[in-house]
Amino acid sequence: MYTVFLVEDEPLIRANMRNAIENSGEPFSCIGEAGDGELALTIIQDLKPDILITDIKMPFMDGLTLARHAKAIIPWLRVIIVSGYDDFDLARQAIDIGVDQYILKPTPNKDLFAALHVASEKIAEHKKQSVSFLKHQSNDEMVKNTLIGSFLEQLCNGEIGADEALRRADELETGLLSKSYAVAIAQYEGKNGYPNRLTITSKAKYALRNDPEVLFFMSGADHVVLIVKGPTDIDATGKAYHAAQTLKHEIEDDGSTKLTVGISAVTNRITGIHDAYREAGVLLKTFAQTHRSRIFCSGDLCRGDASVVPAIDDLFDADVENKLKFATPQDVPAIVAEFAKSIDTDEMQSLLYRYYILMDLTAAATRIIRNFNPSMAQAELSRHFASRKDVFSSAISAQEFTDLATKICLKFIELRDSGNSCHHKKIVQKACDFIKENFNTPDISLNTVAAHVSLSPTHFSTIFAQEMSVTFIDYLTGARMEKVKELLVTTDEKIVSIAFSVGYNEPNYLSYIFKKREGLTPKEYRTMKKAKAE
């Protein structure tokens, strides 16, 4: 089934197209609509349809501008322009933007479905090209891609400095210089073992081929590494989320592969790419199991210090807090052994050292957990760890020290993982509260709510859908529909008044959405509820 989004400022024309598609029995489904391009863009960004059908002359934002912005946000989008103007210049502009079909009003159903079939065929062709993209590359292109991949891997591994990196980037005609960088590591897994690496490489190359701000290379048997550039820190993070979403759509398209993506904090130096790469790797190793098939970054997982952290291999060169922050259960024996090996042979010195280590471990654990889960009360947190008296008792012998240190580390990891999405939850809760207070405002959109929680629209859209298991627009529509049902039952207001009171400017659209969600028209719902009350 191909998803379709309609944009048309004439409600009757839009309703006719929607009804034709919904009642056709063809493999197309309308997932949303809007009366102007500006409103449509924010909804499209959230719903990510396969096909966009848009009028060309509309208020606020015309169809060509909408198509250009929409394709920048959703590279795989197919666009059909429906216009009342048989204008060669407009048609030429549409072709330049990458519009797939340009059809004229009035639009017979046969023309509409002919255009939809062309769009669906291009989607199918896109899938074929994605899988076989590398097969069409010349030997020179393949050699160059291999050299670029090797160069980027050396950069991420810290094997070359900034001057050497810029020189080699220039030789390979690869734009590297930027004000901000983020590194994303995508781990892919198939239902039956590792997917075909060549197929994944082809899909990644095809998905990211037109984006000069994203550099990538394949790492090991199951990772794609992205180096994402941006003019600001926020842009780099937002762009990393966008690139991750694009890659995720491409690789997960056939349903046989899942992609989990960890995104580093932003660095402003070329030499910082190495640290960002290590951070993304630690994040993925630590949280891939609890965040499988999701996209996440260090700033989302912890409210605390978002600075770049050491890789697992280097943990023992760091302080107690960094040893714990991104540790996994498998790391615990080595962490405890590292502490234990430095204990002095003098019995009293050893006792004091073990005591201070256990107290430091407890203090660091509680401090990090409060960052991950600030809603946890101190009293509740304290009961999970040993008292000062028990700590001192356990410091007397080496074995008891090892046992308690291990217990503290494992309890910390358990509590951290149970609260590691608290920052997401806090952001999403703030967004939900804003929606509940403002859903009756016609201008509320993904962009306005994202701005309210201080995130880019792409970043916000991703974490909202992951936390709520519904898209932003579905949640907003749900909030509006609940109010509509309340007003239908408790008042005698007309549908026109109810529509305006919940943020819809078009009563007919409200009726359509209501029936689609509830299976009844608003009038039928009101009648049914009143009959039950009697």
Side-chain angles (χ1 to χ4, degrees):
M1 186 66 71
Y2 300 99
T3 55
V4 180
F5 193 91
L6 298 173
V7 190
E8 166 61 64
D9 61 337
E10 291 290 340
L12 183 59
I13 296 175
R14 192 167 74 243
N16 287 340
M17 282 196 292
R18 176 219 308 146
N19 292 335
I21 293 170
E22 291 288 297
N23 299 323
S24 67
E26 298 272 9
F28 305 104
S29 174
C30 288
I31 59 167
E33 59 185 74
D36 67 76
E38 185 178 351
L39 178 60
L41 188 61
T42 60
I43 303 175
I44 288 168
Q45 187 170 9
D46 189 42
L47 295 182
K48 296 179 176 60
D50 296 315
I51 301 170
L52 168 65
I53 301 176
T54 179
D55 188 10
I56 201 166
K57 295 289 186 180
M58 296 181 295
F60 305 111
M61 182 185 291
D62 63 68
L64 293 176
T65 304
L66 169 63
R68 185 172 65 253
H69 287 301
K71 285 185 73 68
I73 295 169
I74 312 171
W76 62 86
L77 185 68
R78 316 315 303 188
V79 181
I80 299 170
I81 293 283
V82 180
S83 175
Y85 300 87
D86 187 4
D87 187 310
F88 174 78
D89 186 56
L90 289 176
R92 181 187 56 76
Q93 291 181 53
I95 291 171
D96 291 342
I97 291 169
V99 169
D100 298 281
Q101 292 282 286
Y102 187 103
I103 56 178
L104 296 174
K105 296 179 182 176
T107 309
N109 284 350
K110 65 179 181 63
D111 291 350
L112 175 63
F113 284 101
L116 283 169
H117 282 298
V118 169
S120 65
E121 288 167 4
K122 289 186 177 182
I123 292 172
E125 181 62 26
H126 173 102
K127 294 178 181 179
K128 291 179 182 177
Q129 290 179 355
S130 176
V131 172
S132 62
F133 184 66
L134 292 182
K135 295 179 181 178
H136 304 297
Q137 288 192 315
S138 67
N139 289 337
D140 288 345
E141 288 174 320
M142 292 178 67
V143 169
K144 182 178 179 180
N145 288 334
T146 301
L147 291 173
I148 290 173
S150 176
F151 156 60
L152 295 177
E153 188 163 19
Q154 287 180 306
L155 178 63
C156 285
N157 287 331
E159 297 173 16
I160 53 178
D163 185 56
E164 173 71 4
L166 288 171
R167 184 187 65 78
R168 289 181 59 182
D170 186 55
E171 289 176 354
L172 293 167
E173 299 177 326
T174 300
L176 179 64
L177 193 61
S178 181
K179 291 184 177 179
S180 301
Y181 303 90
V183 175
I185 302 181
Q187 177 177 295
Y188 53 87
E189 56 182 324
K191 292 181 178 178
N192 302 303
Y194 289 127
N196 184 291
R197 190 175 189 272
L198 184 62
T199 299
I200 298 296
T201 305
S202 184
K203 286 186 173 185
K205 183 70 176 176
Y206 191 74
L208 304 171
R209 67 193 186 283
N210 294 323
D211 195 339
E213 301 303 309
V214 180
L215 309 174
F216 86 95
F217 65 92
M218 307 301 293
S219 177
D222 58 350
H223 291 91
V224 184
V225 180
L226 312 180
I227 300 173
V228 183
K229 301 177 290 180
T232 67
D233 290 5
I234 292 177
D235 287 328
T237 300
K239 185 68 178 176
Y241 266 89
H242 179 262
Q245 285 182 336
T246 300
L247 191 63
K248 189 174 175 67
H249 173 271
E250 200 72 45
I251 290 177
E252 293 186 346
D253 187 55
D254 61 3
S256 66
T257 307
K258 292 294 182 184
L259 200 73
T260 305
V261 186
I263 301 173
S264 74
V266 172
T267 181
N268 303 116
R269 297 178 179 274
I270 291 175
T271 51
I273 292 173
H274 167 52
D275 293 327
Y277 171 68
R278 294 196 301 170
E279 179 184 83
V282 173
L283 285 172
L284 200 61
K285 178 177 180 179
T286 307
F287 298 112
Q289 291 301 312
T290 55
H291 290 68
R292 180 169 287 168
S293 193
R294 299 178 73 171
I295 301 169
F296 52 91
C297 74
S298 58
D300 298 330
L301 294 171
C302 179
R303 294 189 318 133
D305 182 13
S307 61
V308 173
V309 299
I312 288 295
D313 291 342
D314 300 327
L315 277 173
F316 304 130
D317 297 327
D319 58 19
V320 172
E321 191 159 332
N322 275 341
K323 289 177 185 180
L324 280 179
K325 188 178 288 185
F326 295 105
T328 67
Q330 292 74 30
D331 299 317
V332 170
I335 290 174
V336 174
E338 179 71 14
F339 289 138
K341 76 177 185 180
S342 301
I343 295 177
D344 198 285
T345 55
D346 179 83
E347 187 174 345
M348 182 54 69
Q349 291 292 329
S350 296
L351 170 62
L352 292 175
Y353 183 86
R354 286 193 290 258
Y355 173 73
Y356 285 125
I357 283 292
L358 290 173
M359 291 303 295
D360 279 351
L361 267 175
T362 304
T366 55
R367 185 165 54 249
I368 300 168
I369 290 166
R370 289 301 300 274
N371 279 337
F372 276 97
N373 192 357
S375 62
M376 181 176 286
Q378 183 62 45
E380 179 187 358
L381 185 57
S382 297
R383 71 179 177 83
H384 290 289
F385 296 99
S387 66
R388 188 183 295 266
K389 180 180 178 181
D390 290 337
V391 168
F392 188 82
S393 297
S394 296
I396 293 174
S397 77
Q399 185 58 52
E400 288 187 58
F401 164 82
T402 299
D403 292 344
L404 183 56
T406 300
K407 185 177 179 181
I408 291 170
C409 292
L410 291 175
K411 177 55 70 173
F412 159 75
I413 291 169
E414 177 189 333
L415 294 174
R416 179 202 66 193
D417 289 352
S418 69
N420 62 27
S421 64
C422 69
H423 187 48
H424 274 183
K425 287 182 169 63
K426 186 176 180 181
I427 289 172
V428 170
Q429 186 58 55
K430 184 178 180 181
C432 290
D433 292 342
F434 184 80
I435 292 168
K436 289 175 183 176
E437 293 174 6
N438 298 279
F439 68 83
N440 58 344
T441 305
D443 294 334
I444 189 172
S445 68
L446 177 71
N447 287 0
T448 58
V449 180
H452 179 69
V453 297
S454 304
L455 292 178
S456 71
T458 303
H459 190 165
F460 171 67
S461 175
T462 301
I463 67 170
F464 189 92
Q466 289 178 166
E467 289 296 324
M468 299 299 291
S469 298
V470 295
T471 64
F472 163 79
I473 196 64
D474 281 343
Y475 184 85
L476 173 61
T477 301
R480 286 172 165 171
M481 290 303 107
E482 288 303 309
K483 188 63 177 180
V484 170
K485 288 191 284 186
E486 177 189 328
L487 294 174
L488 287 171
V489 173
T490 60
T491 74
D492 292 322
E493 286 188 42
K494 294 182 178 180
I495 301 302
V496 174
S497 299
I498 292 176
F500 284 119
S501 69
V502 298
Y504 289 114
N505 293 326
E506 298 173 13
N508 289 336
Y509 184 58
L510 165 61
S511 297
Y512 163 72
I513 291 293
F514 191 92
K515 184 171 183 179
K516 189 173 184 179
R517 291 175 67 96
E518 304 298 329
L520 299 169
T521 66
K523 184 177 179 180
E524 290 169 343
Y525 181 86
R526 173 178 271 168
T527 301
M528 179 192 71
K529 287 294 184 179
K530 286 187 175 180
K532 286 184 177 180
E534 293 174 356

